[in-house]
Amino acid sequence: MTRETVPDSIAIIGCGHVGSTSAYALMLRGVARDLVLLDANHAVAEAEAMDLQHAVPMGRPVRIRAGDYGDAARAGIVIIAAGVGGKPGESRLELLERNIDVVRECMTALSAEGFMGIVLMATNPVDALAQVAYEQSGFPASRVIGSGTVLDSARLRAMLGEDLGVEARSIHAYVIGEHGDSEIIAWSSASVAGVPLLQYARDGQLADPGAVLQRVRQAAPDIIRSKGFTSFAIASCVTRICEAIIRDEHTILPVSTLLTGQYGISGVYLSLPCVVGRGGVERVIDIPLDAAEHAGLHESAGVLQRALQSVRHSSTEIRPQQKMT
Ligand code: NAD
């Protein structure tokens, strides 16, 4: 069975902190015409939908309702934000065993309902779970995207903006690799107004690059330690990715995607700058990397491959991919 897709309709599976804040951000920006909310606890999805509907007169004209997988399957984009988040001190990869069955359940239900749109994975560990979703569904890799290091790159740009006294959106810099402890900063391609970023920084303006990476990696644990979860920044990233897809923007965003030989890496989901439009990931961009960054990216790929290997051996078999474009 295949369903007709409504391109400007978005479904969100998992209405916790990430899912409900994403719904709020999507409504405020008027990205979609229809928002459908699903949660294992249907009463929560209904309550969030009702609360959001009451915000619509102050926001944009978006139809918001709780629904089921039949409704989700008609959406142009399904955001998966279901599953547990990390506790203080827990790495994202430690969530894999706990969230893999949730993602499999979502993908089985979506496939059974003939979903033909784009899957945007937010549940952590986002790279490994985007790969699980891709392998289990048999959808083309271009249509199964992880939010990847869009969030880490936003954190990096916010921090650099403050350090350099330049508005964050004027800074071009990417965190690449795993959305997690092995991620790296692509300093070789970072720039301000076309000037290499490390050259642009005046004496004393920037901590050493290793310390900047540490601050980026440490951001989520620091927030989670006090607030218990993160929500606003990830919701803004999810909203931006959806906007790029629905408006067919061909925007460059460091989403998580299947590598197919870039830098000699293939068969693993991780983040590199990608052209994102109506078809999902339209192109992966090979940015210049120096030898250390190249090695860091390979290390990150190895970490993710080993993590997936461990769950492949310990839990129900992941169906091999059926097709690829
Ligand atoms: P949360 O506990 O607040 O919400 C999770 C929701 O998922 C709950 O409402 C729960 O009922 C629902 N759920 C669980 N199993 C389900 C299922 N099988 N079907 C439908 N709904 C189900 O968690 P949160 O803080 O919203 O975080 C959600 C996920 O997002 C976590 O894995 C977290 O680590 C991740 N996250 C990712 C990023 C990122 O950059 N990608 C950033 C922040 C959080």
Side-chain angles (χ1 to χ4, degrees), residues 115-321:
F115 176 64
M116 294 298 288
I118 289 171
V119 175
L120 175 55
M121 183 65 60
T123 302
N124 273 322
V126 71
D127 305 286
L129 290 177
Q131 183 151 0
V132 167
Y134 156 69
E135 291 178 354
Q136 163 141 1
S137 65
F139 296 159
S142 54
R143 278 178 39 211
V144 184
I145 303 173
S147 63
T149 54
V150 175
L151 173 57
D152 316 77
S153 301
R155 287 176 172 148
L156 171 68
R157 290 164 70 208
M159 289 171 192
L160 290 175
E162 261 186 47
D163 290 350
L164 300 178
V166 173
E167 208 254 320
R169 288 177 306 175
S170 300
I171 292 173
H172 295 276
Y174 296 106
V175 176
I176 58 172
E178 177 201 4
H179 168 58
D181 296 339
S182 70
E183 66 194 10
I184 59 160
I185 296 172
W187 289 111
S188 301
S189 63
S191 68
V192 179
V195 181
L197 194 137
L198 295 178
Q199 191 180 314
Y200 178 91
R202 290 189 295 271
D203 277 354
Q205 259 190 327
L206 202 63
D208 85 273
V212 176
L213 177 57
Q214 220 24 58
R215 273 167 72 203
V216 173
R217 286 181 181 170
Q218 205 38 47
D222 284 349
I223 297 168
I224 289 170
R225 198 178 315 111
S226 303
K227 171 172 154 169
F229 57 90
T230 66
S231 52
F232 295 118
I234 177 60
S236 307
C237 295
V238 162
T239 299
R240 186 69 197 94
I241 299 166
C242 289
E243 195 171 46
I245 295 168
I246 287 181
R247 287 162 48 92
D248 196 23
E249 287 180 3
H250 313 292
T251 297
I252 294 168
L253 292 166
V255 291
S256 187
T257 191
L258 184 73
L259 293 208
T260 54
Q262 293 83 359
Y263 309 97
I265 303 169
S266 48
V268 63
Y269 263 72
L270 51 72
S271 287
L272 283 171
C274 295
V275 180
V276 179
R278 188 174 295 137
V281 168
E282 297 175 345
R283 187 180 155 192
V284 183
I285 301 170
D286 287 43
I287 52 171
L289 297 180
D290 67 20
E293 291 161 359
H294 196 272
L297 193 67
H298 271 262
E299 204 178 307
S300 207
V303 165
L304 287 166
Q305 263 155 345
R306 285 191 293 278
L308 269 171
Q309 216 52 44
S310 71
V311 290
R312 282 192 174 113
H313 287 145
S314 69
S315 45
T316 356
E317 194 67 16
I318 297 172
R319 269 197 3 240
Q321 63 208 45

Side-chain angles (χ1 to χ4, degrees), residues 13-19 38-41 44 69 81-86 92 95 99 102 105-106 121-126 147-148 151-152 179 229-231 234:
I13 306 178
C15 299
H17 300 109
V18 173
L38 282 79
D39 196 281
N41 183 343
V44 166
Y69 274 97
V84 291
R92 294 182 181 95
L95 301 175
N99 286 339
V102 171
E105 184 190 317
C106 298
M121 183 65 60
T123 302
N124 273 322
V126 71
S147 63
L151 173 57
D152 316 77
H179 168 58
F229 57 90
T230 66
S231 52
I234 177 60

